[in-house]
């Protein structure tokens, strides 16, 4: 078989004149290294390095001339014109970002919400307190009411989701909490699929959802992520490291026996101007020199923490009270029985869903400040806030040092306690002085859990601002 002249090899470039819309595999056909090597081999030039180089140069120049001709004709450079190197073909566009499908997530606890995404891009989020007009809305535990609420919420999202509502979902997600009855939560897939098919359902842990939302909406590639609040199915104080290596990963590195959030609210319940509650029974026992246990303190409402933070600015803190309170916060894991499971104190079937397992008595100084006068209560509030801040900052800073300040770009906070502005400011000041960044997502509390759940199966390819992605008025 006669050898083909180089003019023939170069003429193969004419096949390059296919339309850009036809295929991106042109790069595979026109691999200059492969074609040049084949030509050199056929012409006995393999041993002559300079001849092979000349061949490759001629091929390059021929291709360059054709590219320049197209550009001079006013055509925009297209990916199908690019020469592949080492026989690695240009991957087809539809294969680069394969469709990961639509997803829907629901959370049934307080601050309940529904969120929808398409291929990792959040399309809409509906906070159900806006729909039902009930602050911190949580679904009812009564079967008939529960089903009606779910249907109403789902129908609203289907009708009004600003980005449109998919006709089917690849993923359905439920965020776990420690309060909703399991029988009701397990009914969600059945109710949803009466209206729209879902290929697969997933359960996402409470703090994992908090952490996923915070990390993926942050500007950091590597970060320490801390999620802490009043408790979820996976504890109440978790730490993670988010990083990008071969893939994006969020790994839990600690689950700590603290419940700063619930304990902060419990202390706030001792302050009538904060909780609007009646602690006369507690104060009467104290006045009669009787011991008072934490189980006798009125259960805090969800708004108590926010009011306490503002109220704490009225008066200065007392150093002695602050020291006592710091000790209490350090043992705050006892607020819920499940937080003590790590020590084998409570069997699974007897986990505490209320505070009746708290046997410890209130310190005398706390009772005195709570029952004495309005001014002493305000000093107690300032002391509670100061103790919370110093405890939280100390714990989080120790985690930062454990991970390594030189190993991360910044700190990311999530969970209800991430709403503590004063604590955040103290952390920010220290981080800035250490050359690190700081980020708190727009919805660090339970309002953002459904977005975090979406990110567990379809994380965003690019950072998406999450402000103002709720519903318009209808």
């Amino acid at each position: 078989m006669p050898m083909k002249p180089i003019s023939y090899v170069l003429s193969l470039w004419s096949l390059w004149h296919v339309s850009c819309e036809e295929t991106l595999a042109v790069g595979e056909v026109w691999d200059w290294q492969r074609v040049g090597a084949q030509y050199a081999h056929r012409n006995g030039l393999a041993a002559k390095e300079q001849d092979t180089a000349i061949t490759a140069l001629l091929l390059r120049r021929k291709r360059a001339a054709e590219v320049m001709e197209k550009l001079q004709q006013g055509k925009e450079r297209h990916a199908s014109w690019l020469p592949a190197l080492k026989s690695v073909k240009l991957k087809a566009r539809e294969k680069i970002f394969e469709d990961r499908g639509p997803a829907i997530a629901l959370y049934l606890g307080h601050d309940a919400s529904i969120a929808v995404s398409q291929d990792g891009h959040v399309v809409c989020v509906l906070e159900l307190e806006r729909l039902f007009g009930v602050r911190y809305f949580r679904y009812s535990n009564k079967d008939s009411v529960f089903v009606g609420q779910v249907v109403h919420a789902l129908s609203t999202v289907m009708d009004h989701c600003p980005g449109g509502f998919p006709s089917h979902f690849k993923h359905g997600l439920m965020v776990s909490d420690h309060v909703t009855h399991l029988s009701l939560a397990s009914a969600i897939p059945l109710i949803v699929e009466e209206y729209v098919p879902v290929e697969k359902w997933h359960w996402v842990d409470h703090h994992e959802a908090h952490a996923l939302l915070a990390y993926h909406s942050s500007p950091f590639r590597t970060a320490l992520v801390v999620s802490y609040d009043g408790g979820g199915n996976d504890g109440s104080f978790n730490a993670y490291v988010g990083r990008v290596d071969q893939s994006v990963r969020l790994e839990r590195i600690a689950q700590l026996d603290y419940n700063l959030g619930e304990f902060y609210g419990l202390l706030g319940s001792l302050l009538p101007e904060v909780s609007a509650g009646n602690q006369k029974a507690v104060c009467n026992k104290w006045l009669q020199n009787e011991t008072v246990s934490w189980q006798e303190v009125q259960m805090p409402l969800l708004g108590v923490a926010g009011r306490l933070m503002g109220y704490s600015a009225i008066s200065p803190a007392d150093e002695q009270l602050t020291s006592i309170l710091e000790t209490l916060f350090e043992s705050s894991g006892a607020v819920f029985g499940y937080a003590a499971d790590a020590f084998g104190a409570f069997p699974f079937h007897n986990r505490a869903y209320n505070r009746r397992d708290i046997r410890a008595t209130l310190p005398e100084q706390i009772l005195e400040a709570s029952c004495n006068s309005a001014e002493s209560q305000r000093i107690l509030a300032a002391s509670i806030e100061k103790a919370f801040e110093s405890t939280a900052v100390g714990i989080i800073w120790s985690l930062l040092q454990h991970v390594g300040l030189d190993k991360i770009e910044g700190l990311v906070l999530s969970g209800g306690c991430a709403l503590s502005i004063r604590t955040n400011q103290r952390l920010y000041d220290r981080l800035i002085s250490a050359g690190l960044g700081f980020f708190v997502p727009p919805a660090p509390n339970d309002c953002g859990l459904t977005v975090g759940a979406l990110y567990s199966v379809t994380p965003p390819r690019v950072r998406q601002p999450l402000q103002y992605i709720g519903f318009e008025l209808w």
Side-chain angles (χ1 to χ4, degrees):
M1 181 177 177
M3 295 291 105
K4 303 295 184 185
I6 191 169
S7 59
Y8 172 80
V9 177
L10 295 177
S11 71
L12 292 178
W13 286 104
S14 62
L15 293 177
W16 180 29
H17 290 276
V18 298
S19 67
C20 296
E21 288 74 23
E22 287 183 26
T23 178
L24 288 180
V26 179
E28 178 186 16
V29 176
W30 294 120
D31 176 344
W32 64 265
Q33 247 187 3
R34 178 171 55 81
V35 174
Q38 287 175 351
Y39 174 78
H41 177 71
R42 288 173 182 172
N43 287 277
L45 301 176
K48 300 179 180 180
E49 184 176 338
Q50 67 176 35
D51 289 342
T52 305
I54 290 172
T55 302
L57 176 61
L58 291 173
L59 287 168
R60 283 188 171 116
R61 286 179 173 174
K62 175 64 177 177
R63 179 195 157 275
E66 295 201 19
V67 169
M68 294 309 299
E69 180 182 355
K70 287 178 177 290
L71 294 176
Q72 289 166 3
Q73 292 171 356
K75 297 179 181 179
E76 184 178 0
R77 185 185 297 270
H78 193 275
S80 64
W81 304 0
L82 304 176
L85 186 63
K86 297 182 179 177
S87 299
V88 178
K89 68 178 181 179
L90 183 66
K91 194 171 185 179
R93 178 188 300 151
E94 62 272 15
K95 296 293 185 180
I96 296 174
F97 294 121
E98 294 183 2
D99 182 10
R100 295 180 295 168
I104 184 170
L106 301 93
Y107 176 61
L108 308 185
H110 68 77
D111 295 300
S113 64
I114 300 177
V116 175
S117 70
Q118 177 67 52
D119 297 329
H121 181 83
V122 180
V123 178
C124 61
V125 182
L126 177 61
E127 295 180 36
L128 298 188
E129 69 172 29
R130 310 297 174 87
L131 176 64
F132 292 99
V134 177
R135 189 77 171 100
Y136 310 115
F137 175 82
R138 155 195 314 278
Y139 286 98
S140 171
N141 280 329
K142 295 181 179 179
D143 291 4
S144 58
V145 178
F146 172 81
V147 173
Q149 289 172 336
V150 174
V151 170
H152 182 34
L154 183 63
S155 299
T156 301
V157 176
M158 293 175 67
D159 293 341
H160 298 286
C161 183
F165 192 82
S167 58
H168 82 284
F169 287 96
K170 189 170 184 178
H171 303 285
L173 301 115
M174 290 286 300
V175 183
S176 301
D177 69 351
H178 60 286
V179 176
T180 304
H181 290 181
L182 185 60
S183 60
L184 295 178
S186 61
I188 285 290
L190 300 176
I191 299 172
V192 172
E193 293 194 54
E194 285 289 319
Y195 296 85
V196 59
V198 178
E199 292 182 26
K200 185 176 181 179
W201 283 91
H202 314 257
W203 285 86
V204 183
D205 287 334
H206 188 94
H207 282 280
E208 180 186 4
H210 273 314
L212 285 165
L213 162 70
Y215 174 64
H216 285 298
S217 58
S218 80
F220 309 131
R221 288 169 57 85
T222 56
L224 172 68
V225 183
V226 173
S227 174
Y228 67 135
D229 60 10
N233 70 302
D234 52 346
S236 50
F237 200 119
N238 289 2
Y240 306 78
V241 167
R243 62 181 179 272
V244 179
D245 37 39
Q246 295 178 343
S247 61
V248 181
R249 291 192 293 167
L250 184 73
E251 179 184 4
R252 188 171 70 184
I253 63 168
Q255 186 180 43
L256 305 179
D257 188 50
Y258 293 105
N259 196 327
L260 304 186
E262 194 69 22
F263 202 72
Y264 185 82
L266 193 62
L267 289 165
S269 295
L270 293 170
L271 306 170
E273 291 184 319
V274 170
S275 65
N278 187 348
Q279 298 291 1
K280 286 185 178 180
V282 170
C283 291
N284 285 338
K285 288 193 70 174
W286 171 69
L287 289 170
Q288 295 170 15
N289 294 319
E290 297 181 24
T291 58
V292 180
S293 66
W294 283 109
Q295 67 183 9
E296 297 173 79
V297 178
Q298 176 182 310
M299 294 176 64
L301 300 175
L302 287 169
V304 164
R307 292 197 293 271
L308 173 54
M309 183 171 59
Y311 183 74
S312 67
I314 297 175
S315 296
D318 177 83
E319 291 303 321
Q320 183 182 14
L321 280 175
T322 300
S323 178
I324 293 169
L325 288 160
E326 286 173 341
T327 302
L328 293 175
F329 276 116
E330 195 63 39
S331 59
S332 59
V335 172
F336 272 127
Y338 74 80
D341 283 351
F343 305 107
F346 298 98
F348 177 82
H349 68 274
N350 198 29
R351 282 182 163 183
Y353 292 109
N354 55 49
R355 294 150 190 83
R356 296 302 172 188
D357 284 321
I358 304 174
R359 307 301 181 192
T361 58
L362 277 74
E364 176 75 16
Q365 298 92 329
I366 302 298
L367 286 168
E368 181 179 1
S370 174
C371 300
N372 198 353
S373 66
E375 180 57 26
S376 66
Q377 292 165 10
R378 293 167 185 173
I379 293 172
L380 175 59
S383 303
I384 294 169
E385 175 63 27
K386 186 175 180 179
F388 175 89
E389 293 171 22
S390 62
T391 304
V393 171
I395 295 167
I396 293 169
W397 197 259
S398 70
L399 289 168
L400 283 164
Q401 291 179 314
H402 174 72
V403 170
L405 299 181
D406 60 333
K407 298 293 193 298
I408 57 175
E409 294 177 77
L411 170 68
V412 177
L413 291 187
S414 194
C417 291
L419 294 171
S420 176
I421 298 171
R422 289 168 56 101
T423 304
N424 293 352
Q425 185 65 50
R426 289 182 59 175
L427 285 165
Y428 172 82
D429 292 340
R430 291 189 68 174
L431 288 161
I432 291 300
S433 65
L436 293 174
F438 181 60
F439 180 80
V440 179
N445 60 337
D446 287 3
C447 295
L449 284 171
T450 49
V451 175
L454 295 174
Y455 288 165
S456 71
V457 291
T458 55
R461 296 190 178 104
V462 296
R463 184 187 180 202
Q464 178 187 0
L466 297 177
Q467 295 89 338
Y468 314 119
I469 58 170
F471 281 53
E472 298 177 356
L473 296 177
W474 64 79

